[in-house]
Amino acid sequence: MSENSIPIWDSTTSVQAAGSSSLSETLHEWVTTVDHKKLGLMYIGVALLFLALGGIEAAIMRIQLAVPHAHFVSPQVFNRMFTMHGTTMIFFVAMTVLFGFGIYLVPLMIGTRDMAFPRLNAWGFWMSAFGGLLLYFSFVGGDGLYGAGTAPDVGWWAYAPLTSPAFSKGHSTDYWTIALLVAGFGTVATGVNFVTTILTMRCPGMTLAKMPLLCWLYLVMGGMLLFTITPLTAAQLMLMVDRYLGGHFFDTQAGGSAAIWMHFFWIFGHPEVYVLIIPSFAFVSEIVPVFSRKPIFGYPIMVAATVAIGFISFSVWAHHMFTIGMASYSNAFFVLTTMAIAVPTGIKIFNWLGTMWGGKICYDTPMLFCLGFLFQFLIAGLTGIMLGAAPFNWQLSGSYFVVAHFHYMIVGGLLFALFGAFYYWYPKMTGRMLHQTLGKWHFWLFFIGFHLTFDFMHVPGILGMSRRIYTYEPERGWGAWNMIITIGVVFQSVAVLCFVFNLLWSYFRGRPAGNDPWDAWTLEWSTSSPPPAYNFAVTPEVKSRRPLWDIKHPEDPDWKYE
Amino acid sequence: MIIVRSRGQRGSARTKGIESHHAFSPNRILGSVNPLRSLQSFIVLLWLTASCQAQSAAQNSSSTNIFAPSSTPADSIYKLSLLVLAVTGTIFVVVLSLLVYAAVKFKRKSGDDREPPQIYGSDQLELAWTVLPVLIVMVLFMTSARVIHAIQDAREPPGTIEVTAVGHQFWWEYRYPQYGFVTANELHVPVSDPAHPTPTFISLLSADTDHSFWVPRLAGKTDLIPNHPNSTWIDPHETGLYLGQCAQYCGTQHAKMLLRVYVESRADFDRWAQTQQQTVQRDAAMSPKAIAGRRVFESTACINCHAVEGTVADGRFGPNLGHLMSRNTIASGVAPNTPRNLRLWIQNPNAIKPGALMPAMNLTDKQLDEVTDYMLTLR
């Protein structure tokens, strides 16, 4: 095992040969790069920036809601905050960071030198990044000729007809629409890239059945992207036709249909949820085996469950619309499909459990976050079943219960898995370990803050608190709950500061990681940390799902049993 | 380093390793937790969080707790939700116990750096945790479908009160076609005796954006969507005031689009309806100040939006004011209907409800007093 402790992110030969480079050269290098590792890191960096912005927006909302009849922000500002928070977190944090990890890891894990289309990869990144900038430029440019509005305030679903010119004056909605259009094109490009790379670029010996599970999950996610973004893009184009060319698709005052927008949005929106959660499954499926010291339990059924989730997720969208007055048999149909998706999801939870069972589990920070993921994902799944029972949904949807549910999924599930991924792969990306003690502080503070906020958020929903309200009456008895929720945000903020500090500190001072700090089994750990621009000096050849196990245990290799 | 790997001895069977590993048997998984006990503990847990509110809800009818139903649709949902909570609660307890057990039991002991037996899977187990969830899903689906049918496809019995609710930014219009009057923001319905039900069926329309009608103790929510007529129904079992609020984001003042449903005895309801139906010429009984106020009201833009039966005011954009004084609140439940609040509202609606669509009419203080006096005559 060769130690490579030089903390350089930039390992292209030209720069190394030059010895030193000026700031403008480095900048030029990064702006023009088509290297999947640099693009991956840039995706992650941009996502962290937007995470800070989205987090500030969340904090503003929580301060406003901490007590009844607060006057911290006006209703107009509050409405902009929740619109921007949702849009930012989904499109420019979650998607972006998951792409970042995927683009960084997939070529390394399948033993190749780059994505199939490196330039398309760069294009996708810049479209996403500029989409985000465009969205935030609305704070400056959104008022247009009317001087009134700034950032969009239509909610992240932007239900018609709130987006029609009659109700949304100025240009804020246009910024929202065009930002998502632009980012959407980049997203589709990235989807194409994932699918092509994984299908055609695997190293010799790596059949589809011998890929690391992460690659399978990204393959399914990439495939889903191709079909899930397109209805959103179509709807956005129709909305622009409505707003500027006199169309009436969603213009209810001229006979258009508000319900059609909902269908368009949610047939994007629900598969989108799985586009977000499947990569977090991917992280967990890599981390849990390594820290339990066992291979993933039931690899084939894990793949089958993922593919099943991919397909079924396209048939559940109208469970977001149980309250819009669909026919009773339509409602029943969507109850069935929604419940059905619990089956493959359950299989996954049990198989991760099976992976831990009989193992020798080490509780390093990545594994701690994965345990948090399993616990919270279980609860999120169960509240999902409650919401899937349509009559129960008539009470719960549109309330704070549903807000708690999907934050449980996205923060408790996705973000926990993502933090785990940061602790797990940061050594590969930088050559240095993240600080363990700081990591533990990060975990426990975030865990406590998360549960203070999102456990207690279910209660005001049950007590009748609607979502997207900027204030509430003191007599309703929601005040104490909301105060606790807000206190949880303080813990979460401190934890995230811990994390960011850890990222920066460890980059300069962290313990050198070596190639394979976790004694792991997939190909990315066989090259140096950080990997050279060409990833592998010699194209690897694999015989099993755990090529490094085979190397480390030549007397008892995996390929004999798979 | 010595590597112990049990799979070496078990040939091609994927499951042998598991049988040799005593703790991981299906019997243990399925039989180790008593579902009844876990169900109990879960419900206790849940109730601990919401119990205070639920208790007070029983006495205080203005609560909006979904677990304190007082009408058939809300009650059927409540019963279904108990079943769903029991099932999900059991799953939660079982899986969480397994997770905690695995996390504690299989922690690596310090100094132990041998690899554990490498196990790849188990067909029987995987089949079990596929088939069992399928059965649970079928049960939940069928019970949900029954409740959906019972609520959504209910027929109107004779004696039904029909109301049309129209959502506006940011207030509610209620039309009573059987009685021929229009009112706003405070819905009155008769109590429904389960033996001779007199439910209220509500058609839901929207004048502008999407809204949602949600009075948690009476029924689940149903959206009001322009060009997409919906309906819902309630049959409250007890008199009292039931609160709720708009549950679909509808614009700036979504938060202050509150719902108030007054459930009254049949006699009280009939008396109220009779008052609402009356259109009397009031000038004779009015003070000169109120008459002046009426003149201001009818000569400014007020009448473009508001209607008062029997006068020239016939606007449709704002609430009907014909019997304003019969309402307890103004601005869709936001403020008590006192002369002071009324005057403040007329002077500057944004002071009470920023973002409300009613403009400040820039009336002089004298005009404000007069218009307020006129409003006070609209009983």
Short mmCIF file of all heavy atoms in Angstrom, two decimals, chain A residues 153 160 252 256 293 295 298 323 326 328 331 351 357 361 363 394-395 397 463 470 481 546 549 556 558, chain B residues 5 7 24 49 64 66 103 106 108 112 115 118 120 129 152-153 210 214 216 221 223 227 230 249 253:
data_model
loop_
_atom_site.label_atom_id
_atom_site.label_comp_id
_atom_site.label_asym_id
_atom_site.label_seq_id
_atom_site.Cartn_x
_atom_site.Cartn_y
_atom_site.Cartn_z
N ASP A 153 -42.62 33.81 -4.95
CA ASP A 153 -43.36 33.54 -3.72
C ASP A 153 -44.54 32.62 -4.00
O ASP A 153 -45.59 32.73 -3.40
CB ASP A 153 -43.85 34.85 -3.10
CG ASP A 153 -44.77 35.60 -4.03
OD1 ASP A 153 -44.93 35.18 -5.19
OD2 ASP A 153 -45.36 36.62 -3.60
N ALA A 160 -50.68 26.37 -10.30
CA ALA A 160 -51.51 27.28 -11.06
C ALA A 160 -52.79 27.48 -10.25
O ALA A 160 -53.20 26.58 -9.52
CB ALA A 160 -51.81 26.68 -12.42
N THR A 252 -56.82 29.59 -15.56
CA THR A 252 -58.19 29.16 -15.22
C THR A 252 -59.22 30.22 -15.59
O THR A 252 -60.37 29.90 -15.80
CB THR A 252 -58.29 28.86 -13.72
OG1 THR A 252 -57.71 29.95 -13.00
CG2 THR A 252 -57.55 27.60 -13.39
N GLY A 256 -58.48 27.38 -18.64
CA GLY A 256 -57.38 26.45 -18.46
C GLY A 256 -57.57 25.58 -17.24
O GLY A 256 -58.55 25.71 -16.52
N ARG A 293 -18.05 -5.21 8.23
CA ARG A 293 -17.07 -6.19 7.77
C ARG A 293 -17.72 -7.39 7.10
O ARG A 293 -17.25 -8.51 7.21
CB ARG A 293 -16.18 -6.67 8.93
CG ARG A 293 -15.52 -5.58 9.76
CD ARG A 293 -14.77 -4.57 8.96
NE ARG A 293 -13.73 -5.15 8.09
CZ ARG A 293 -13.24 -4.55 7.02
NH1 ARG A 293 -13.69 -3.36 6.65
NH2 ARG A 293 -12.32 -5.13 6.29
N PRO A 295 -20.14 -8.59 3.35
CA PRO A 295 -20.69 -8.11 2.07
C PRO A 295 -22.15 -7.72 2.25
O PRO A 295 -22.79 -8.13 3.21
CB PRO A 295 -20.56 -9.32 1.15
CG PRO A 295 -20.55 -10.49 2.06
CD PRO A 295 -19.90 -10.04 3.34
N GLY A 298 -27.88 -10.04 0.39
CA GLY A 298 -28.88 -10.15 -0.68
C GLY A 298 -28.70 -9.14 -1.79
O GLY A 298 -29.63 -8.42 -2.14
N THR A 323 -56.32 15.38 -2.06
CA THR A 323 -57.32 16.35 -1.61
C THR A 323 -57.92 17.16 -2.75
O THR A 323 -58.75 18.02 -2.51
CB THR A 323 -56.71 17.36 -0.61
OG1 THR A 323 -55.71 18.11 -1.29
CG2 THR A 323 -56.10 16.66 0.57
N MET A 326 -60.26 13.92 -6.66
CA MET A 326 -60.28 12.90 -7.72
C MET A 326 -61.40 11.91 -7.41
O MET A 326 -61.88 11.83 -6.28
CB MET A 326 -58.94 12.17 -7.77
CG MET A 326 -57.80 13.06 -8.25
SD MET A 326 -56.26 12.14 -8.45
CE MET A 326 -55.91 11.64 -6.78
N SER A 328 -63.28 8.45 -6.49
CA SER A 328 -62.89 7.56 -5.39
C SER A 328 -62.02 6.40 -5.90
O SER A 328 -61.09 5.99 -5.22
CB SER A 328 -64.14 7.01 -4.70
OG SER A 328 -65.02 6.44 -5.64
N ASN A 331 -58.47 7.59 -6.32
CA ASN A 331 -57.81 7.68 -5.03
C ASN A 331 -57.38 6.29 -4.57
O ASN A 331 -56.26 6.10 -4.09
CB ASN A 331 -58.75 8.31 -4.00
CG ASN A 331 -58.81 9.83 -4.14
OD1 ASN A 331 -57.87 10.45 -4.64
ND2 ASN A 331 -59.92 10.42 -3.73
N ASN A 351 -32.52 -5.76 4.43
CA ASN A 351 -31.23 -6.24 3.93
C ASN A 351 -30.04 -5.49 4.54
O ASN A 351 -28.99 -6.09 4.76
CB ASN A 351 -31.19 -6.15 2.40
CG ASN A 351 -31.87 -7.35 1.78
OD1 ASN A 351 -32.76 -7.93 2.38
ND2 ASN A 351 -31.46 -7.72 0.59
N TRP A 357 -26.17 -7.80 10.74
CA TRP A 357 -26.37 -8.98 11.58
C TRP A 357 -25.19 -9.93 11.44
O TRP A 357 -24.84 -10.34 10.34
CB TRP A 357 -27.66 -9.68 11.17
CG TRP A 357 -28.28 -10.45 12.28
CD1 TRP A 357 -27.99 -11.72 12.63
CD2 TRP A 357 -29.30 -9.99 13.16
NE1 TRP A 357 -28.75 -12.09 13.69
CE2 TRP A 357 -29.57 -11.05 14.05
CE3 TRP A 357 -30.00 -8.79 13.31
CZ2 TRP A 357 -30.52 -10.95 15.07
CZ3 TRP A 357 -30.94 -8.70 14.31
CH2 TRP A 357 -31.19 -9.76 15.17
N ILE A 361 -19.26 -4.64 13.95
CA ILE A 361 -19.55 -3.28 13.51
C ILE A 361 -18.60 -2.28 14.20
O ILE A 361 -18.47 -2.28 15.41
CB ILE A 361 -21.00 -2.90 13.83
CG1 ILE A 361 -21.95 -3.95 13.23
CG2 ILE A 361 -21.33 -1.52 13.29
CD1 ILE A 361 -23.37 -3.82 13.71
N TYR A 363 -17.97 1.64 14.95
CA TYR A 363 -18.76 2.86 14.91
C TYR A 363 -17.90 4.08 14.62
O TYR A 363 -17.80 4.99 15.42
CB TYR A 363 -19.56 3.02 16.21
CG TYR A 363 -20.70 2.03 16.24
CD1 TYR A 363 -20.65 0.90 17.04
CD2 TYR A 363 -21.78 2.19 15.39
CE1 TYR A 363 -21.67 -0.03 17.02
CE2 TYR A 363 -22.81 1.27 15.37
CZ TYR A 363 -22.75 0.16 16.19
OH TYR A 363 -23.76 -0.74 16.16
N TRP A 394 -56.28 12.98 3.94
CA TRP A 394 -57.16 14.16 3.87
C TRP A 394 -57.01 15.01 5.12
O TRP A 394 -57.26 16.22 5.09
CB TRP A 394 -58.62 13.72 3.70
CG TRP A 394 -58.89 13.04 2.39
CD1 TRP A 394 -58.20 13.21 1.23
CD2 TRP A 394 -59.91 12.07 2.12
NE1 TRP A 394 -58.72 12.40 0.25
CE2 TRP A 394 -59.76 11.69 0.76
CE3 TRP A 394 -60.93 11.48 2.86
CZ2 TRP A 394 -60.59 10.75 0.14
CZ3 TRP A 394 -61.76 10.55 2.25
CH2 TRP A 394 -61.59 10.19 0.91
N GLN A 395 -56.66 14.38 6.23
CA GLN A 395 -56.39 15.18 7.44
C GLN A 395 -54.95 15.69 7.45
O GLN A 395 -54.69 16.82 7.84
CB GLN A 395 -56.63 14.34 8.71
CG GLN A 395 -58.08 14.03 9.01
CD GLN A 395 -58.86 15.22 9.56
OE1 GLN A 395 -58.49 16.37 9.39
NE2 GLN A 395 -59.98 14.93 10.20
N SER A 397 -52.38 15.86 4.95
CA SER A 397 -51.68 16.59 3.89
C SER A 397 -51.92 18.08 4.06
O SER A 397 -52.93 18.49 4.62
CB SER A 397 -52.14 16.13 2.52
OG SER A 397 -53.31 16.81 2.17
N LEU A 463 -52.51 18.72 15.26
CA LEU A 463 -53.39 19.69 15.92
C LEU A 463 -53.94 20.72 14.95
O LEU A 463 -54.46 21.75 15.36
CB LEU A 463 -52.62 20.39 17.05
CG LEU A 463 -52.14 19.46 18.16
CD1 LEU A 463 -51.37 20.22 19.21
CD2 LEU A 463 -53.31 18.73 18.80
N TYR A 470 -47.54 32.12 7.72
CA TYR A 470 -46.45 32.91 8.28
C TYR A 470 -46.66 33.21 9.74
O TYR A 470 -45.75 33.66 10.43
CB TYR A 470 -46.27 34.21 7.49
CG TYR A 470 -47.32 35.25 7.76
CD1 TYR A 470 -47.11 36.27 8.68
CD2 TYR A 470 -48.54 35.21 7.11
CE1 TYR A 470 -48.08 37.21 8.94
CE2 TYR A 470 -49.52 36.14 7.37
CZ TYR A 470 -49.28 37.14 8.27
OH TYR A 470 -50.26 38.07 8.54
N TRP A 481 -44.97 23.85 20.85
CA TRP A 481 -44.38 22.92 19.89
C TRP A 481 -43.46 23.65 18.93
O TRP A 481 -42.36 23.20 18.62
CB TRP A 481 -45.47 22.19 19.10
CG TRP A 481 -46.43 21.44 19.99
CD1 TRP A 481 -47.72 21.78 20.27
CD2 TRP A 481 -46.16 20.25 20.74
NE1 TRP A 481 -48.27 20.87 21.14
CE2 TRP A 481 -47.35 19.93 21.44
CE3 TRP A 481 -45.03 19.43 20.89
CZ2 TRP A 481 -47.44 18.82 22.28
CZ3 TRP A 481 -45.13 18.33 21.72
CH2 TRP A 481 -46.32 18.03 22.40
N ARG A 546 -16.20 -7.48 -4.89
CA ARG A 546 -15.28 -6.86 -3.92
C ARG A 546 -13.84 -7.13 -4.34
O ARG A 546 -13.15 -7.96 -3.72
CB ARG A 546 -15.55 -7.41 -2.52
CG ARG A 546 -16.96 -7.09 -2.02
CD ARG A 546 -17.11 -7.37 -0.55
NE ARG A 546 -16.91 -8.79 -0.22
CZ ARG A 546 -16.81 -9.26 1.02
NH1 ARG A 546 -16.84 -8.43 2.04
NH2 ARG A 546 -16.64 -10.54 1.23
N TRP A 549 -11.17 -7.19 -1.69
CA TRP A 549 -11.21 -8.36 -0.80
C TRP A 549 -10.41 -9.49 -1.43
O TRP A 549 -9.63 -10.16 -0.75
CB TRP A 549 -12.66 -8.79 -0.54
CG TRP A 549 -12.76 -10.08 0.22
CD1 TRP A 549 -12.63 -11.34 -0.29
CD2 TRP A 549 -12.95 -10.24 1.63
NE1 TRP A 549 -12.73 -12.27 0.71
CE2 TRP A 549 -12.93 -11.62 1.90
CE3 TRP A 549 -13.14 -9.34 2.69
CZ2 TRP A 549 -13.09 -12.14 3.19
CZ3 TRP A 549 -13.32 -9.86 3.96
CH2 TRP A 549 -13.29 -11.23 4.21
N ASP A 556 -9.00 -16.99 -0.06
CA ASP A 556 -10.45 -17.20 0.05
C ASP A 556 -11.20 -16.09 -0.66
O ASP A 556 -11.91 -15.31 -0.04
CB ASP A 556 -10.83 -17.25 1.54
CG ASP A 556 -12.26 -17.70 1.72
OD1 ASP A 556 -12.82 -18.34 0.79
OD2 ASP A 556 -12.84 -17.39 2.78
N ASP A 558 -13.73 -13.80 -3.05
CA ASP A 558 -15.19 -13.73 -3.21
C ASP A 558 -15.71 -14.45 -4.44
O ASP A 558 -16.79 -15.02 -4.42
CB ASP A 558 -15.60 -12.24 -3.34
CG ASP A 558 -16.29 -11.77 -2.08
OD1 ASP A 558 -16.31 -12.52 -1.09
OD2 ASP A 558 -16.80 -10.64 -2.09
N ARG B 5 -13.92 -17.63 8.08
CA ARG B 5 -15.05 -17.36 7.19
C ARG B 5 -15.89 -18.61 7.06
O ARG B 5 -15.48 -19.58 6.45
CB ARG B 5 -14.57 -16.89 5.82
CG ARG B 5 -13.80 -15.58 5.93
CD ARG B 5 -13.35 -15.13 4.60
NE ARG B 5 -14.48 -14.74 3.78
CZ ARG B 5 -14.39 -14.63 2.47
NH1 ARG B 5 -13.26 -14.91 1.86
NH2 ARG B 5 -15.41 -14.24 1.77
N ARG B 7 -18.35 -19.39 5.39
CA ARG B 7 -18.90 -19.78 4.09
C ARG B 7 -18.05 -20.84 3.42
O ARG B 7 -18.53 -21.56 2.57
CB ARG B 7 -18.99 -18.57 3.18
CG ARG B 7 -17.61 -18.02 2.90
CD ARG B 7 -17.66 -16.87 1.96
NE ARG B 7 -16.30 -16.57 1.58
CZ ARG B 7 -15.96 -15.58 0.80
NH1 ARG B 7 -16.89 -14.79 0.33
NH2 ARG B 7 -14.72 -15.37 0.49
N PHE B 24 -29.49 -15.61 14.11
CA PHE B 24 -30.19 -15.04 12.95
C PHE B 24 -31.16 -16.05 12.38
O PHE B 24 -31.00 -16.56 11.29
CB PHE B 24 -29.17 -14.66 11.90
CG PHE B 24 -29.68 -13.62 10.98
CD1 PHE B 24 -29.55 -12.28 11.30
CD2 PHE B 24 -30.33 -13.95 9.80
CE1 PHE B 24 -30.02 -11.32 10.46
CE2 PHE B 24 -30.80 -12.98 8.96
CZ PHE B 24 -30.65 -11.65 9.29
N THR B 49 -47.43 12.67 23.56
CA THR B 49 -47.13 13.94 22.90
C THR B 49 -48.38 14.76 22.67
O THR B 49 -48.37 15.98 22.80
CB THR B 49 -46.42 13.70 21.55
OG1 THR B 49 -47.15 12.72 20.83
CG2 THR B 49 -45.01 13.25 21.75
N THR B 64 -58.57 22.15 17.06
CA THR B 64 -58.49 21.66 15.69
C THR B 64 -57.74 20.34 15.64
O THR B 64 -57.07 20.03 14.67
CB THR B 64 -57.78 22.69 14.79
OG1 THR B 64 -56.60 23.14 15.46
CG2 THR B 64 -58.66 23.87 14.50
N ILE B 66 -57.09 16.60 14.99
CA ILE B 66 -57.72 15.62 14.10
C ILE B 66 -58.14 14.36 14.85
O ILE B 66 -58.90 13.57 14.33
CB ILE B 66 -56.79 15.24 12.92
CG1 ILE B 66 -55.55 14.50 13.43
CG2 ILE B 66 -56.42 16.43 12.09
CD1 ILE B 66 -54.75 13.88 12.29
N ALA B 103 -27.23 -3.48 16.42
CA ALA B 103 -26.22 -2.44 16.62
C ALA B 103 -25.43 -2.68 17.90
O ALA B 103 -24.24 -2.40 17.96
CB ALA B 103 -26.89 -1.07 16.65
N PHE B 106 -23.67 -6.77 17.80
CA PHE B 106 -22.62 -7.08 16.83
C PHE B 106 -21.56 -5.99 16.75
O PHE B 106 -20.89 -5.83 15.74
CB PHE B 106 -23.22 -7.36 15.45
CG PHE B 106 -24.16 -8.52 15.48
CD1 PHE B 106 -25.53 -8.33 15.35
CD2 PHE B 106 -23.68 -9.80 15.67
CE1 PHE B 106 -26.40 -9.40 15.40
CE2 PHE B 106 -24.55 -10.88 15.72
CZ PHE B 106 -25.92 -10.68 15.59
N ARG B 108 -18.09 -4.44 17.22
CA ARG B 108 -16.78 -5.07 17.24
C ARG B 108 -16.12 -4.87 18.61
O ARG B 108 -16.14 -3.77 19.16
CB ARG B 108 -15.88 -4.43 16.18
CG ARG B 108 -14.50 -5.06 16.13
CD ARG B 108 -13.45 -4.05 15.76
NE ARG B 108 -13.52 -3.70 14.35
CZ ARG B 108 -12.81 -4.32 13.40
NH1 ARG B 108 -12.00 -5.28 13.70
NH2 ARG B 108 -12.91 -3.93 12.15
N ASP B 112 -10.35 -7.30 18.53
CA ASP B 112 -10.81 -8.39 17.66
C ASP B 112 -10.71 -7.92 16.22
O ASP B 112 -11.56 -7.18 15.74
CB ASP B 112 -12.26 -8.71 18.02
CG ASP B 112 -12.83 -9.78 17.10
OD1 ASP B 112 -12.05 -10.37 16.32
OD2 ASP B 112 -14.06 -10.01 17.17
N GLU B 115 -12.00 -11.09 10.59
CA GLU B 115 -13.20 -10.78 9.83
C GLU B 115 -14.31 -11.74 10.24
O GLU B 115 -14.06 -12.92 10.49
CB GLU B 115 -12.93 -10.94 8.31
CG GLU B 115 -11.84 -10.01 7.78
CD GLU B 115 -12.31 -8.59 7.58
OE1 GLU B 115 -13.36 -8.22 8.12
OE2 GLU B 115 -11.61 -7.83 6.88
N GLN B 118 -18.52 -14.41 6.34
CA GLN B 118 -19.04 -13.63 5.20
C GLN B 118 -20.32 -14.29 4.69
O GLN B 118 -20.30 -15.41 4.20
CB GLN B 118 -17.99 -13.58 4.09
CG GLN B 118 -16.68 -12.95 4.55
CD GLN B 118 -16.82 -11.48 4.90
OE1 GLN B 118 -17.14 -10.68 4.05
NE2 GLN B 118 -16.61 -11.14 6.16
N TYR B 120 -23.81 -13.95 2.34
CA TYR B 120 -24.25 -13.21 1.15
C TYR B 120 -25.74 -12.98 1.08
O TYR B 120 -26.20 -12.13 0.34
CB TYR B 120 -23.79 -13.94 -0.11
CG TYR B 120 -22.28 -13.95 -0.21
CD1 TYR B 120 -21.55 -15.02 0.29
CD2 TYR B 120 -21.61 -12.86 -0.75
CE1 TYR B 120 -20.17 -15.01 0.22
CE2 TYR B 120 -20.23 -12.86 -0.82
CZ TYR B 120 -19.51 -13.93 -0.33
OH TYR B 120 -18.15 -13.90 -0.38
N TRP B 129 -39.45 -11.43 4.06
CA TRP B 129 -39.68 -10.00 4.23
C TRP B 129 -40.10 -9.31 2.94
O TRP B 129 -40.14 -8.10 2.84
CB TRP B 129 -38.55 -9.32 4.98
CG TRP B 129 -37.16 -9.32 4.41
CD1 TRP B 129 -36.76 -8.96 3.18
CD2 TRP B 129 -35.97 -9.65 5.13
NE1 TRP B 129 -35.41 -9.06 3.07
CE2 TRP B 129 -34.89 -9.48 4.26
CE3 TRP B 129 -35.71 -10.07 6.45
CZ2 TRP B 129 -33.56 -9.72 4.64
CZ3 TRP B 129 -34.40 -10.30 6.81
CH2 TRP B 129 -33.34 -10.13 5.91
N GLN B 152 -66.45 9.38 0.15
CA GLN B 152 -66.56 10.12 -1.11
C GLN B 152 -67.85 9.84 -1.86
O GLN B 152 -68.35 10.70 -2.58
CB GLN B 152 -65.38 9.75 -2.01
CG GLN B 152 -64.24 10.74 -1.89
CD GLN B 152 -63.28 10.58 -3.04
OE1 GLN B 152 -62.52 9.61 -3.08
NE2 GLN B 152 -63.29 11.51 -3.97
N ASP B 153 -68.34 8.61 -1.76
CA ASP B 153 -69.51 8.25 -2.56
C ASP B 153 -70.80 8.28 -1.75
O ASP B 153 -71.80 7.67 -2.13
CB ASP B 153 -69.29 6.86 -3.19
CG ASP B 153 -68.03 6.82 -4.04
OD1 ASP B 153 -67.63 7.90 -4.53
OD2 ASP B 153 -67.43 5.75 -4.19
N ASP B 210 -56.08 28.36 -5.88
CA ASP B 210 -56.46 27.15 -5.14
C ASP B 210 -56.58 27.47 -3.65
O ASP B 210 -55.78 28.23 -3.10
CB ASP B 210 -55.38 26.06 -5.31
CG ASP B 210 -55.14 25.75 -6.77
OD1 ASP B 210 -56.06 25.96 -7.58
OD2 ASP B 210 -54.03 25.31 -7.10
N TRP B 214 -60.67 23.03 5.33
CA TRP B 214 -60.22 22.05 6.32
C TRP B 214 -60.67 22.45 7.72
O TRP B 214 -60.12 23.36 8.32
CB TRP B 214 -58.68 21.93 6.29
CG TRP B 214 -58.16 20.83 7.17
CD1 TRP B 214 -58.79 19.67 7.50
CD2 TRP B 214 -56.90 20.79 7.85
NE1 TRP B 214 -58.00 18.90 8.32
CE2 TRP B 214 -56.83 19.57 8.56
CE3 TRP B 214 -55.81 21.65 7.92
CZ2 TRP B 214 -55.73 19.19 9.33
CZ3 TRP B 214 -54.71 21.29 8.69
CH2 TRP B 214 -54.67 20.07 9.38
N PRO B 216 -60.68 20.33 10.86
CA PRO B 216 -60.20 18.98 11.21
C PRO B 216 -61.19 18.13 11.99
O PRO B 216 -61.25 16.92 11.79
CB PRO B 216 -58.95 19.26 12.05
CG PRO B 216 -58.49 20.60 11.62
CD PRO B 216 -59.74 21.37 11.28
N LYS B 221 -59.62 17.49 4.54
CA LYS B 221 -59.67 18.68 3.70
C LYS B 221 -60.02 18.32 2.26
O LYS B 221 -59.74 17.21 1.79
CB LYS B 221 -58.33 19.42 3.75
CG LYS B 221 -57.14 18.61 3.29
CD LYS B 221 -55.85 19.39 3.44
CE LYS B 221 -55.41 19.53 4.87
NZ LYS B 221 -55.04 18.26 5.55
N ASP B 223 -59.87 20.43 -1.61
CA ASP B 223 -59.40 21.67 -2.23
C ASP B 223 -60.51 22.37 -3.00
O ASP B 223 -61.43 21.73 -3.51
CB ASP B 223 -58.24 21.37 -3.20
CG ASP B 223 -57.00 20.90 -2.46
OD1 ASP B 223 -57.04 20.85 -1.22
OD2 ASP B 223 -56.00 20.59 -3.14
N ASN B 227 -62.29 26.22 -11.90
CA ASN B 227 -62.65 25.35 -13.02
C ASN B 227 -62.66 23.87 -12.66
O ASN B 227 -62.47 23.01 -13.51
CB ASN B 227 -61.67 25.50 -14.19
CG ASN B 227 -61.94 26.73 -14.99
OD1 ASN B 227 -62.92 27.42 -14.72
ND2 ASN B 227 -61.10 27.03 -15.95
N ASN B 230 -65.62 20.86 -6.65
CA ASN B 230 -65.47 19.76 -5.71
C ASN B 230 -66.61 19.79 -4.71
O ASN B 230 -67.41 20.72 -4.71
CB ASN B 230 -64.15 19.90 -4.94
CG ASN B 230 -62.99 19.30 -5.72
OD1 ASN B 230 -63.19 18.47 -6.60
ND2 ASN B 230 -61.80 19.74 -5.39
N TYR B 249 -51.88 26.59 -0.12
CA TYR B 249 -51.28 27.92 -0.26
C TYR B 249 -51.98 28.70 -1.36
O TYR B 249 -52.06 28.24 -2.50
CB TYR B 249 -49.80 27.78 -0.56
CG TYR B 249 -49.11 29.11 -0.77
CD1 TYR B 249 -49.08 30.06 0.23
CD2 TYR B 249 -48.48 29.40 -1.97
CE1 TYR B 249 -48.45 31.27 0.05
CE2 TYR B 249 -47.84 30.61 -2.17
CZ TYR B 249 -47.84 31.54 -1.15
OH TYR B 249 -47.22 32.75 -1.35
N GLN B 253 -51.86 36.15 2.03
CA GLN B 253 -52.50 35.99 3.35
C GLN B 253 -53.12 34.62 3.55
O GLN B 253 -54.13 34.49 4.25
CB GLN B 253 -53.53 37.10 3.55
CG GLN B 253 -52.97 38.31 4.27
CD GLN B 253 -52.43 37.98 5.66
OE1 GLN B 253 -52.64 36.90 6.20
NE2 GLN B 253 -51.71 38.91 6.25
#
